[in-house]
Amino acid sequence: MDYFLDEEQLMIRDLARQIAEEKIMPVRAELDEREEFPWDIMNALAQSDFFGLYIPGEYGGLGKGGFELSIAIEELSRACLGVSTSYAANALGTYPILLFGSEEQKKKYLPDIASGRRLVAFALTEANAGSDAAGVQTTARPDGDEYVLNGTKQWITNGGEAEIYTVIAITDRAKGARGASAFIVEKGTPGFTFGKKENKMGIRASSTRELIFEDCRIPKENLIGRQGMGFIVAMKTLDKSRTGVGAQGVGVAQGAFEAAVSFAKERRQFGAPVISFQAVQHMLADMAAQIEAARALVYSVARYIDSGAKDVSKESAMAKLFATDVAMKVTVDAVQVMGGSGYMREYPVEKMMRDAKILQIYEGTNQIQRNIIGQSLIKESAKKRQGG
Amino acid sequence: MDIIVCIKQVPDTAEIKINPETNTLMREGVPSIINPFDLHALEAAVRIKEDVGARVTALTMGPPQAESSLREAISMGADDAVLLSDRAFAGSDTWATSYALAGAIRKLGADIVFCGKQAIDGDTAQVGPETAEFLDIPHVSYVRRIEWIRDGAVRVQRLMDEGYDVVESPLPVLLTVVKELNQPRMPSLKGKIAAKKAQVRIMGKADIGADEDSLGLKGSPTKVKSIFAPGTKTGRMMIEGGPEEQVDILIKELRKIKCL
């Protein structure tokens, strides 16, 4: 379907697609097998300006919005979710600086992020704090001109590979949700080390690692926003990035769908290509319709957010929830359409199915997305009653 | 430093067919690409720009539609683009092409001129060296590595059948490059946006102060006598029997034709 992309949006889509087809597809199976971080591809994306897509021109970026970022993420995800996760996590880590950072912080970090010279990671999750962000136990104690960080972050995408980390830590436990703050911590700071690298079901090219802070001292100017704003920073960041996860869902579903269609055209049973059987056609038809619906929602929400809308929690949750549930269903069905071949590592769809599962889990499980939508519905109906 | 990269727009030979009646290339509907070796030349120039600073100009001689290849070169890092285009250039062989290119390069000025080792359509590998001769500057062909550039000189490795030569040359110099030199980059988004807006400078015969008789068909000493596609050799033999038997027959047959 034609979504009436403008000339530069088409340029972004086509170049992302070219990189996906020429640089990612030939190596995705090997990256998956070896759990290798895709530095060559990250460097190619950096050289082609993709890391600066959503960063304002004054900091060396292209000044585009979340919509253009979603288009790029979708194309990369069509080839490999492991690669697109490494790319998208960079934006996730950058949003706290972009949305709440001081002018000095932006000048210091954004040019290096836009050029791809330094990767970024966002660190919220801990052993006892995932969906329940209030369970964060990592502390940041003010001490003179510094903060002293202690604690362990878990399952941090780009951990170890990134050089800049935006970290949520507790500055005043007594204040509850207002007791958390966001910080910038650079790789190489004394007291900041990396723990084990996780062995994952899917997105195996991406790096998922522990961050360990032991009396890690960072200068006061590394505080993002004001002290106590940590959860607001985290929630606004996730509101912004969720459509990107939705775009990942659209992309991986599209990739799996294309593989299934081309297989069904070639594979012959009972003297005919299996695509000529209605049972197969109906599966493919459902897949196509679901992907298009997911894409239309993700694009609409991304454009809505870029328009400057204030509260986008509900819409971004819908885009993430719907598109990633579609991704899971479509990748499972792609394996089914391809039968035994689909189950084999010789074909890309079993990897896509393993990869897709994470989309329903990370950046807020799809159950949490439903909670967010539900809470918005309650708020909206309360407003209506007051107004009425 | 000023660098000129000579590029040629060629038909994508992976997609090309030969007209069996006229024995000429069937160009209709075949996509045009930048000659792949020229992409390595462009990459070399852009890397020098990134390392030590340089102004990179892409230069091509061709019909007006060759402009798209120059815009592509800008999207991959060239700063400027010059299209050498004039009806008087039509029908040029390698001699007349080199003459015209040298005229343009003399006007533009360059410390290093890069060319691909050859074009994939004509495969002559003559235009680079001939251009250097017209310019009366040294050239090194088949460059597979640039070791250094300093103090008005360059040291490169020239690929040979067995191993390589190490060659030093003063600047200005013309280098033709092989694909072993580097891995050409993808275009960048900023480059693509710049390419769309870029002004491509067009130079004609008057701009390069050319001698009319040395241009185009008139200036081309090459006369094509005939063109033909060499016939393909056919003939095959199926050997049957068990593995041992087959090996015996194969050895006998190979001896018969003196392969063993």
Side-chain angles (χ1 to χ4, degrees):
Chain A
M1 205 163 95
D2 190 343
Y3 289 93
F4 305 103
L5 304 188
D6 68 26
E7 203 174 350
E8 290 186 1
Q9 288 162 348
L10 287 172
M11 213 181 257
I12 290 162
R13 186 194 68 185
D14 293 347
L15 186 54
R17 188 173 292 176
Q18 190 187 349
I19 291 172
E21 291 177 356
E22 291 178 23
K23 302 264 180 203
I24 304 178
M25 285 186 187
V27 298
R28 62 185 171 188
E30 198 187 334
L31 291 173
D32 174 62
E33 188 81 32
R34 291 167 46 179
E35 289 194 278
E36 199 181 291
F37 190 79
W39 270 116
D40 283 353
I41 299 163
M42 291 296 120
N43 290 337
L45 287 168
Q47 202 161 49
S48 294
D49 301 326
F50 276 91
F51 284 106
L53 208 49
Y54 56 97
I55 292 174
E58 60 203 286
Y59 307 111
L62 283 154
K64 300 291 179 186
F67 179 53
E68 286 81 2
L69 179 62
S70 292
I71 293 171
I73 290 172
E74 178 188 341
E75 290 301 329
L76 302 180
S77 303
R78 180 174 154 258
C80 177
L81 269 192
V83 170
S84 80
T85 294
S86 308
Y87 171 71
N90 210 73
L92 179 67
T94 305
Y95 278 130
I97 301 174
L98 203 54
L99 299 175
F100 296 95
S102 65
E103 192 51 39
E104 288 73 32
Q105 288 169 340
K106 290 181 184 178
K107 275 194 189 133
K108 184 173 176 190
Y109 294 104
L110 293 181
D112 274 359
I113 296 171
S115 68
R117 268 193 296 277
R118 301 169 91 188
L119 287 188
V120 198
F122 179 64
L124 171 63
T125 302
E126 296 182 7
N128 296 309
S131 298
D132 180 8
V136 167
Q137 283 169 343
T138 296
T139 55
R141 181 173 50 84
D143 182 24
D145 288 339
E146 297 173 318
Y147 282 97
V148 185
L149 270 66
N150 276 289
T152 301
K153 293 288 174 183
Q154 183 179 266
W155 300 339
I156 304 308
T157 304
N158 285 352
E161 311 293 341
E163 292 188 38
I164 301 165
Y165 295 80
T166 45
V167 180
I168 307 295
I170 301 295
T171 35
D172 187 350
R173 193 168 302 284
K175 287 191 174 161
R178 295 211 176 144
S181 304
F183 299 94
I184 301 167
V185 185
E186 296 187 40
K187 186 178 179 175
T189 308
F192 174 27
T193 54
F194 303 104
K196 70 168 179 190
K197 193 178 165 190
E198 304 293 340
N199 181 8
K200 305 188 291 291
M201 173 197 230
I203 57 164
R204 289 164 60 81
S206 70
S207 168
T208 311
R209 229 169 142 178
E210 273 178 352
L211 313 184
I212 300 164
F213 301 101
E214 290 166 304
D215 290 328
C216 172
R217 290 181 170 269
I218 56 169
K220 273 232 154 116
E221 58 261 29
N222 283 21
L223 172 72
I224 301 173
R226 291 190 312 278
Q227 197 170 300
M229 277 180 70
F231 283 128
I232 296 172
V233 170
M235 292 311 128
K236 292 287 173 192
T237 290
L238 292 168
D239 279 354
K240 270 273 192 188
S241 70
R242 255 182 232 119
T243 45
V245 183
Q248 285 192 295
V250 175
V252 70
Q254 181 70 32
F257 170 73
E258 287 170 14
V261 168
S262 79
F263 181 88
K265 280 191 331 206
E266 298 294 323
R267 171 73 170 169
R268 294 178 72 86
Q269 289 288 276
F270 308 105
V274 299
I275 202 167
S276 66
F277 305 134
Q278 249 182 12
V280 173
Q281 281 174 25
H282 285 186
M283 286 183 81
L284 292 173
D286 281 343
M287 290 156 79
Q290 287 156 0
I291 293 167
E292 212 56 76
R295 183 178 287 122
L297 180 59
V298 168
Y299 284 11
S300 303
V301 171
R303 282 172 158 153
Y304 176 60
I305 294 174
D306 287 346
S307 75
K310 230 175 147 209
D311 186 2
V312 296
S313 297
K314 181 181 79 175
E315 291 77 10
S316 69
M318 284 176 167
K320 193 265 183 186
L321 158 73
F322 187 80
T324 61
D325 278 355
V326 162
M328 195 68 248
K329 182 164 188 326
V330 167
T331 52
V332 168
D333 285 349
V335 171
Q336 190 68 20
V337 165
M338 293 172 67
S341 296
Y343 199 74
M344 301 300 158
R345 295 226 163 159
E346 204 183 323
Y347 290 89
V349 289
E350 63 81 27
K351 171 188 177 294
M352 291 170 169
M353 181 180 136
R354 283 186 283 116
D355 287 350
K357 189 62 206 171
I358 193 62
L359 301 179
Q360 295 180 305
I361 299 170
Y362 70 15
E363 291 195 36
T365 63
N366 284 5
Q367 286 67 35
I368 290 292
Q369 304 304 324
R370 288 176 171 91
N371 287 358
I372 294 170
I373 297 166
Q375 282 152 12
S376 291
L377 296 177
I378 293 168
K379 250 195 266 174
E380 281 169 18
S381 75
K383 254 189 220 158
K384 247 182 221 161
R385 196 175 303 162
Q386 279 170 358
Chain B
M1 184 170 340
D2 288 306
I3 302 176
I4 291 177
V5 183
C6 297
I7 64 172
K8 184 179 185 186
Q9 190 176 46
V10 296
D12 190 348
T13 49
E15 316 247 340
I16 211 158
K17 292 185 180 63
I18 292 180
N19 183 329
E21 284 169 16
T22 60
N23 281 317
T24 53
L25 298 180
M26 293 164 66
R27 288 179 191 251
E28 295 75 29
V30 177
S32 290
I33 57 170
I34 293 179
N35 178 45
F37 295 111
D38 302 348
L39 292 177
H40 296 275
L42 177 61
E43 179 67 27
V46 175
R47 285 192 193 179
I48 292 170
K49 174 171 107 172
E50 287 169 350
D51 289 348
V52 299
R55 186 142 194 98
V56 177
T57 302
L59 169 67
T60 193
M61 181 169 122
Q65 59 264 33
E67 192 192 298
S68 65
S69 65
L70 290 170
R71 290 194 189 275
E72 202 181 328
I74 290 172
S75 78
M76 284 185 275
D79 301 295
D80 294 306
V82 176
L83 174 63
L84 194 52
S85 193
D86 197 308
R87 281 180 180 280
F89 300 148
S92 294
D93 69 355
T94 60
W95 178 282
T97 301
S98 307
Y99 173 79
L101 283 173
I105 292 166
R106 208 176 286 121
K107 284 279 177 223
L108 296 166
D111 301 295
I112 303 177
V113 179
F114 277 109
C115 303
K117 70 160 180 160
Q118 66 195 59
I120 57 166
D121 55 353
D123 276 328
T124 67
Q126 291 167 359
V127 170
E130 281 178 4
T131 302
E133 290 304 307
F134 277 118
L135 288 167
D136 199 20
I137 61 171
H139 81 267
V140 185
S141 47
Y142 306 112
V143 171
R144 61 156 230 175
R145 186 171 298 164
I146 297 166
E147 292 192 355
W148 48 253
I149 302 168
R150 60 172 180 246
D151 308 325
V154 62
R155 184 199 275 185
V156 300
Q157 295 178 5
R158 171 168 57 201
L159 184 68
M160 303 300 285
D161 282 343
E162 289 170 25
Y164 60 88
D165 295 338
V166 176
V167 184
E168 265 183 53
S169 165
L171 302 182
V173 65
L174 184 145
L175 305 174
T176 83
V177 309
V178 294
K179 65 178 192 309
E180 287 78 1
L181 179 62
N182 54 38
Q183 179 72 43
R185 71 192 59 196
M186 295 272 182
S188 71
L189 291 169
K190 283 181 190 165
K192 281 188 150 227
I193 292 167
K196 213 175 59 186
K197 294 175 185 156
Q199 284 284 337
V200 171
R201 183 174 161 194
I202 296 172
M203 292 175 95
K205 63 178 179 189
D207 302 307
I208 59 170
D211 163 21
E212 183 96 26
D213 289 337
S214 303
L215 295 174
L217 205 54
K218 227 191 290 177
S220 298
T222 311
K223 301 288 173 245
V224 179
K225 205 172 163 197
S226 75
I227 302 172
F228 63 93
T232 45
K233 283 183 188 156
T234 53
R236 62 171 187 172
M237 171 180 179
M238 293 296 288
I239 302 170
E240 285 174 11
E244 283 179 21
E245 216 176 320
Q246 287 189 37
V247 169
D248 285 344
I249 299 170
L250 179 62
I251 287 172
K252 213 180 286 169
E253 290 298 325
L254 287 174
R255 284 210 169 114
K256 212 188 279 176
I257 57 168
K258 301 212 160 38
C259 267
L260 278 178

